[in-house]
Amino acid sequence: MSTALQSAAPMSAALRSFAAQWQARPADSLSPVRELAMQRFLELGLPSSRDETWRYTNLRSLAAQSFVDAPRRVTGEVAPNASLSLLGEGDHAASLVVINGYPIMPAPGVEGIEIHSLRELARTNPDAVMRFLDPLSDAEQRRWTLLNTALFVDGLYLKITSRVAAPLVILHMAAGEGANNITYPRIIIEATPGSSATIIEQHVTHGEHTPLSNSNTHIALRRDAQLEHYRVYATDAGATHIDSLNIRQDQDSCCRQFTIALGGGLVRTTLEAELGQRGASLDSYSLLVGHEARHVDCVNIVTHAAPETRSNQTARAIAGDMSRVIFNSKVIVNAGAVHAHSQQSCRGLLLSKTAEIDTRPQLEIHADEVKCAHGATTGRLDPDMLFYMLSRGLDRDTAQSLLVYAFLADVLTGMSVPSARAAIETYLIAQLPDSQTLRKFR
């Protein structure tokens, strides 16, 4: 791009590198909205701890780095650095592979789901892509979405056209050729009226160098559509992942969404859902696991914009060693959204004296005749329950691990894909003391 870009303040090394990436991008059919997004991003700058939804996550070290595009393809055999396989050998499911934001095409055929490359779709039918690009916003939780809009090159558009029984897995693989690589994965999922599907997005790494990943998924559910969506982070301790998920729901649509953070050095997830028409419902489940010095920050913002809408948020956070886990949720009930019903529940479990969990459920209500509640607790294992189990002959490590395992049940039992649930359970158990004994209790 040859357009000159301006920033309201002196640019950091990161902002200068993002501007350089923009200048190197060739023009395409989306360039007008891309340019506006890039200009807005540079004017606003990177979010800081002074911004409300970023108060627990400091990006100063990231701002000092200069980023370059990760390669489109990787050399050698593709073998992700993850011991987590979410599908069993007997599962009749399809898999799509996305490497550094570039899908491997042509994709395998999936009955009931149309699969398109965003790059190709933008070339042949740009309006089909433009209608899913979120309006430009100054909100600090959308800064990285602006950057993704400006700089993503390719991605996937999935159109669900019928009731699809078998799950579809999108394997996002991040692989760098050197330090300070960055990727911009983009996924658009549209469920047509009356359709249903289960889609699993899994993020893993490959090779020695791990790029910063700035990913975005947009989900549009039309009338009576149903979707079960997973985003699972199983990256290594050196990975930084910033992910934004936007959900828009029409009349009587239902969405079950699972955010599972099992790995990564810094994982920041954002979910923004708008229940835009009568009868729309959202069930959101978050499982946030902190180890070593890892940092996990989960932000959920749900807006009830129509009468008789329902949302339920369930979060379970575990922090050990020197890790920090944050769950920051907000429910907004707009004027006129009568008979809205919402529930927020977050429980945190501290496994060490040096770990930290921050929970912040919020309500903003502008309508009467609504039913909204929230609750948050953080603490250590129940000493009475631990004593009871010890008195029954269990050793301390096994008793503690069983209590941790039971603590997670509220999230895990909601999964309808047995192989995914079993794989996540196995992955978690392997990180707990006396894992061999625990496997006998599954």
Side-chain angles (χ1 to χ4, degrees):
M1 300 288 184
S2 60
T3 305
L5 297 173
Q6 298 179 348
S7 174
M11 290 197 290
S12 64
L15 290 185
R16 289 195 298 271
S17 67
F18 297 144
Q21 286 180 304
W22 164 257
Q23 297 292 346
R25 291 285 193 271
D28 64 11
S29 60
L30 306 180
S31 292
V33 71
R34 291 184 186 276
E35 182 178 350
L36 292 174
M38 193 70 203
Q39 185 66 59
R40 184 73 59 85
F41 173 77
L42 292 178
E43 291 172 353
L44 298 171
L46 290 172
S48 71
S49 55
R50 294 188 299 272
D51 294 305
E52 186 66 20
T53 65
W54 288 87
R55 61 187 302 180
Y56 301 106
T57 299
N58 192 319
L59 299 180
R60 280 198 299 265
S61 61
L62 186 151
Q65 302 176 49
S66 294
F67 294 96
V68 296
D69 284 309
R72 179 170 181 173
R73 292 289 181 262
V74 297
T75 57
E77 183 180 355
V78 175
N81 298 341
S83 58
L84 179 63
S85 177
L86 296 179
L87 292 178
E89 294 182 359
D91 286 324
H92 300 287
S95 295
L96 305 176
V97 178
V98 179
I99 299 178
N100 293 339
Y102 296 89
I104 295 180
M105 302 295 287
V110 179
E111 187 175 355
I113 302 180
E114 298 177 8
I115 303 172
H116 302 272
S117 157
L118 282 182
R119 187 176 190 175
E120 181 64 19
L121 188 62
R123 186 185 67 83
T124 60
N125 187 6
D127 290 342
V129 180
M130 290 283 288
R131 62 194 177 101
F132 294 107
L133 299 183
D134 293 319
L136 303 184
S137 170
D138 291 346
E140 72 267 9
Q141 74 272 11
R142 295 189 183 180
R143 302 274 177 89
W144 289 91
T145 298
L146 289 173
L147 184 64
N148 183 288
T149 298
L151 295 179
F152 84 89
V153 177
D154 204 348
L156 286 170
Y157 166 58
L158 309 179
K159 185 175 183 179
I160 305 166
T161 58
S162 63
R163 296 187 176 275
V164 182
L168 171 65
V169 176
I170 303 173
L171 183 66
H172 292 276
M173 192 172 300
E177 287 186 336
N180 298 344
N181 283 187
I182 187 170
T183 70
Y184 302 98
R186 188 89 176 201
I187 305 294
I188 296 173
I189 302 169
E190 180 181 16
T192 60
S195 65
S196 64
T198 297
I199 295 180
I200 301 172
E201 294 190 66
Q202 182 181 2
H203 296 271
V204 299
T205 56
H206 164 78
E208 179 182 356
H209 301 286
T210 302
L212 165 65
S213 181
N214 173 21
S215 55
N216 179 274
T217 297
H218 183 103
I219 295 173
L221 300 184
R222 307 310 180 193
R223 182 170 182 169
D224 294 316
Q226 298 182 36
L227 180 71
E228 184 165 319
H229 176 265
Y230 297 65
R231 50 178 176 171
V232 182
Y233 309 92
T235 51
D236 58 43
T240 297
H241 199 123
I242 300 173
D243 182 76
S244 303
L245 172 63
N246 303 95
I247 304 174
R248 301 292 180 264
Q249 295 187 228
D250 291 348
Q251 183 174 343
D252 296 326
S253 62
C254 298
C255 183
R256 290 167 57 82
Q257 203 288 316
F258 295 87
T259 296
I260 312 294
L262 302 174
L266 188 158
V267 177
R268 156 74 184 217
T269 72
T270 302
L271 182 154
E272 287 190 85
E274 180 179 301
L275 309 181
Q277 295 183 14
R278 185 185 300 270
S281 66
L282 169 70
D283 290 293
S284 167
Y285 300 89
S286 303
L287 175 56
L288 313 172
V289 182
H291 295 290
E292 302 167 340
R294 298 180 179 184
H295 185 100
V296 181
D297 185 355
C298 179
V299 175
N300 287 3
I301 301 174
V302 178
T303 300
H304 291 253
E308 298 178 14
T309 49
R310 184 189 65 82
S311 68
N312 180 65
Q313 298 182 59
T314 302
R316 297 295 177 259
I318 300 176
D321 304 315
M322 298 178 64
S323 64
R324 187 176 188 183
V325 178
I326 301 104
F327 182 72
N328 187 352
S329 65
K330 185 175 185 178
V331 169
I332 303 169
V333 181
N334 288 349
V338 295
H339 303 143
H341 183 283
S342 79
Q343 176 73 41
Q344 302 172 71
S345 169
C346 180
R347 295 173 58 195
L349 182 60
L350 292 166
L351 300 182
S352 76
K353 294 181 179 179
T354 53
E356 182 176 348
I357 295 177
D358 300 281
T359 59
R360 191 166 180 248
Q362 305 165 72
L363 287 172
E364 183 179 312
I365 301 175
H366 304 281
D368 297 324
E369 299 183 61
V370 300
K371 185 177 181 180
C372 300
H374 61 71
T377 60
T378 298
R380 303 189 186 280
L381 291 173
D382 185 340
D384 293 334
M385 185 61 70
L386 181 60
F387 175 79
Y388 174 82
M389 298 181 74
L390 293 175
S391 70
R392 293 300 183 269
L394 291 175
D395 64 88
R396 180 172 291 273
D397 282 349
T398 302
Q400 289 178 335
S401 295
L402 280 171
L403 289 175
V404 171
Y405 184 68
F407 177 79
L408 307 175
D410 289 341
V411 171
L412 296 176
T413 54
M415 297 179 178
S416 69
V417 182
S419 56
R421 174 183 171 180
I424 292 169
E425 288 176 344
T426 299
Y427 192 93
L428 287 169
I429 287 172
Q431 301 177 56
L432 296 173
D434 206 5
S435 59
Q436 292 185 350
T437 302
L438 278 181
R439 290 190 180 97
K440 301 176 182 179
F441 289 88
R442 291 181 56 191

